[in-house]
Amino acid sequence: MATRSSRATAPLSAYVLHRYDWSESSLILDMFTREQGRLAVAAKGAKRPYSQLRSVLLPFQRINLVLGRAPAGEASSEVQTLRSAEWAGGAAMLTGAHLFSGFYLNELLMKLLARHDPHAALFDAYAQTLPSLVSTEDAAVEAALRAFELRLLKEIGLLPELSQVTLTQQPVQAERRYTLLAEAGVAAPRAGEADVPGNTLIMLQAALEHGSLAALQQACEPVLPALKTQLRGLLHYHLGGAPLRTRQVMMELQNLAPPSSSTPRIGHESPR
């Protein structure tokens, strides 16, 4: 009879992006792993009251999971079976308004990342971004979201070189202003378009190449409104115009809240 070690793969570092009911007692999980990218995982019995997995398979919590080895010749897109999962430590779970920022990141990952396509640097950026979302400073949270959007777009090859004009391949001039267009990349702004200084684009590119998320967040801070508008257009284009559910829910909550309400505004429809 096969031993447990022969039926299971090596442990993976992972986050739960989304959970789907599979049966009365089980779940299908959309997982973001450092080693294998996005995976579909079946967690049998995870919904049972006495299951130890109930307190582990939560969003925004880093976990170590072991999966069953797929049978020889089976397509890699098949759902894999969860063998075990353990909390790997880290920051406290997001709560309240901060949950929407976290779910926004999760939705971007689910819609823009292909399955079984590892992005270790992006996984690390996600892990580093989550603690920033609990800041009481709106600007800090927005800078964290914009920095992650930039890192995500760069990692999947959808972000143009920010330090050069895309069509001419000429270096961006620090003293001039530019816009970021989905169809044309870095370009001179047209009338009415949001723009940013060239020196900001140069700093953003340098931070992306260096890999420092803190430096990237810092470079985002002086141009948050314009950068939000430009990245919104870029993401909308690459999502095929499909609306983000997190954004829709937040807009619905804002419409329901009275003017004096302190309902937080998260994601692209707000200061976030």
Side-chain angles (χ1 to χ4, degrees):
M1 183 175 66
T3 64
R4 180 184 178 87
S5 61
S6 68
R7 293 186 287 105
T9 59
L12 304 176
S13 296
Y15 286 93
V16 175
L17 297 179
H18 196 65
R19 298 157 41 125
Y20 308 88
D21 288 336
W22 182 23
S23 67
E24 291 185 1
S25 62
S26 302
L27 296 168
I28 297 292
L29 307 168
D30 196 323
M31 308 290 298
F32 183 32
T33 71
R34 192 176 194 276
E35 297 82 2
Q36 297 184 25
R38 279 184 59 225
L39 301 176
V41 176
K44 297 179 180 179
K47 293 168 61 178
R48 291 173 180 158
Y50 54 82
S51 173
Q52 295 181 345
L53 294 174
R54 286 171 62 90
S55 61
V56 177
L57 299 177
L58 300 173
F60 317 121
Q61 295 293 294
R62 188 164 183 162
I63 61 178
N64 294 324
L65 56 87
V66 175
L67 304 177
R69 190 181 302 278
E74 188 171 285
S76 60
S77 61
E78 292 295 328
V79 176
Q80 296 174 255
T81 302
L82 180 67
R83 295 294 182 187
S84 66
E86 296 180 348
W87 182 60
M93 184 174 172
L94 300 178
T95 58
H98 308 301
L99 281 170
F100 286 94
S101 294
F103 284 128
Y104 169 71
L105 298 189
N106 287 3
E107 189 172 6
L108 286 180
L109 291 172
M110 288 190 292
K111 290 191 173 181
L112 290 173
L113 288 186
R115 294 199 188 277
H116 302 279
D117 185 16
H119 291 277
L122 182 61
F123 181 93
D124 294 341
Y126 176 85
Q128 294 171 40
T129 299
L130 291 179
S132 301
L133 301 183
V134 302
S135 173
T136 57
E137 299 292 333
D138 283 348
V141 175
E142 178 152 353
L145 294 175
R146 302 294 83 79
F148 185 80
E149 290 168 345
L150 286 165
R151 173 58 64 187
L152 170 60
L153 289 167
K154 181 178 186 299
E155 286 294 322
I156 59 179
L158 299 180
L159 187 72
E161 171 83 29
L162 298 180
S163 59
Q164 66 182 23
V165 179
T166 303
L167 293 181
T168 66
Q169 300 295 292
Q170 295 298 310
V172 162
Q173 303 298 309
E175 67 279 6
R176 298 188 62 181
R177 301 187 73 85
Y178 300 87
T179 191
L180 182 60
L181 302 173
E183 69 280 8
V186 177
R190 296 169 295 200
E193 288 179 338
D195 56 39
V196 297
N199 69 313
T200 295
L201 291 178
I202 294 170
M203 288 190 293
L204 288 172
Q205 184 64 38
L208 284 166
E209 292 177 356
H210 183 270
S212 170
L213 193 64
L216 187 58
Q217 292 174 357
Q218 185 175 7
C220 290
E221 286 182 358
V223 293
L224 287 173
L227 189 60
K228 179 180 70 173
T229 299
Q230 294 177 51
L231 289 176
R232 174 194 295 175
L234 199 58
L235 288 165
H236 183 76
Y237 177 84
H238 290 298
L239 287 168
L244 291 170
R245 179 58 184 162
T246 313
R247 186 186 302 164
Q248 288 181 318
V249 171
M250 203 62 241
M251 291 176 65
E252 291 168 2
L253 288 177
Q254 291 172 17
N255 291 335
L256 289 173
S260 61
S261 171
S262 59
T263 301
R265 297 182 299 168
I266 311 298
H268 284 290
E269 304 305 327
S270 72
R272 302 275 171 85

